[in-house]
């Protein structure tokens, strides 16, 4: 998928350079249907024959996060996982603790609560983080054996390009 299609033809933030490697990171992330770690994204790019340093991947993802172009969640170990943010704003996700699969969830009530909280307290520009985790239907039978078995039997981020959203 080209950067022009994704609207990412310009530098991510003012002052950042647009390089072949940074463009490859943005395009690689755009091709992922699920959350992915920086290291897994670098491995995915390497499999495709694209050489990008891990520090470039981290820097690019950090810049994308600052620019509001990615959603970020943390897995059970605290590792940051990234996913391209839809054009119409941030989303909240239900995240499988076993395989890392995610699903967008309707959280209008959370958004409304945050707005009301601002009105009541006088705070402005309120930001929030909501993390919901569970075990997806595909991992459910394995989870019955314990989460450790589930994680071992189902590789995390097995192929972020093809896992269902």
């Amino acid at each position: 998928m080209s950067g022009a299609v994704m609207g990412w033809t310009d530098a991510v933030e003012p002052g950042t350079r647009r390089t072949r490697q940074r463009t490859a990171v943005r395009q690689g992330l755009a091709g992922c249907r699920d959350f992915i770690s920086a290291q897994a994204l670098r491995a995915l790019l390497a499999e495709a024959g694209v050489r990008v340093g891990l520090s470039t991947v981290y820097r690019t993802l950090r810049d994308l996060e600052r620019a509001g172009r990615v959603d970020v969640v943390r897995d059970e170990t605290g590792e940051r996982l990234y996913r391209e943010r839809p054009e119409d704003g941030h989303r909240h996700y239900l995240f499988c603790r076993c395989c890392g699969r995610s699903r967008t969830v309707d959280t209008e009530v959370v958004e409304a609560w945050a707005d009301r909280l601002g009105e009541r307290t006088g705070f402005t520009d309120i930001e929030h983080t909501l993390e919901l985790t569970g075990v997806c239907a595909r991992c459910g039978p394995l989870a019955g054996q314990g989460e450790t078995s589930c994680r071992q039997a189902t590789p995390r981020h097995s192929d972020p390009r093809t896992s269902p959203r």
Side-chain angles (χ1 to χ4, degrees), residues 18-154:
R18 184 172 158 221
T19 65
R20 177 192 60 78
Q21 293 88 352
R22 291 171 68 86
T23 299
V25 171
R26 293 192 313 260
Q27 290 176 346
L29 184 64
C32 294
R33 295 181 44 93
D34 221 335
F35 284 94
I36 189 168
S37 69
Q39 291 183 16
L41 180 56
R42 180 177 182 245
L44 195 66
L45 292 169
E47 286 175 22
V50 179
R51 291 184 46 165
V52 178
L54 187 56
S55 60
T56 299
V57 174
Y58 275 111
R59 251 191 325 274
T60 303
L61 292 171
R62 182 196 65 220
D63 291 344
L64 288 168
E65 181 180 3
R66 286 181 183 160
R69 293 184 174 182
V70 295
D71 286 321
V72 181
V73 297
R74 291 187 186 266
D75 68 10
E76 70 281 349
T77 66
E79 182 176 20
R80 297 170 68 84
L81 305 174
Y82 301 87
R83 182 175 174 178
E84 180 184 37
R85 178 174 286 173
E87 295 276 331
D88 59 349
H90 82 276
R91 295 271 167 53
H92 297 285
Y93 302 90
L94 182 55
F95 189 77
C96 179
R97 289 188 300 268
C98 294
C99 67
R101 195 171 295 112
S102 64
R103 173 164 261 152
T104 305
V105 294
D106 177 19
T107 54
E108 283 183 33
V109 68
V110 173
E111 303 300 332
W113 172 74
D115 290 342
R116 285 192 315 273
L117 186 62
E119 293 168 5
R120 290 182 188 150
T121 63
F123 277 68
T124 60
D125 196 26
I126 294 176
E127 296 178 2
H128 62 274
T129 301
L130 175 65
E131 293 190 16
L132 302 167
T133 65
V135 178
C136 72
R138 197 156 74 180
C139 293
L142 297 171
Q145 301 168 14
E147 282 190 45
T148 304
S149 298
C150 175
R151 283 192 200 106
Q152 291 171 352
T154 308

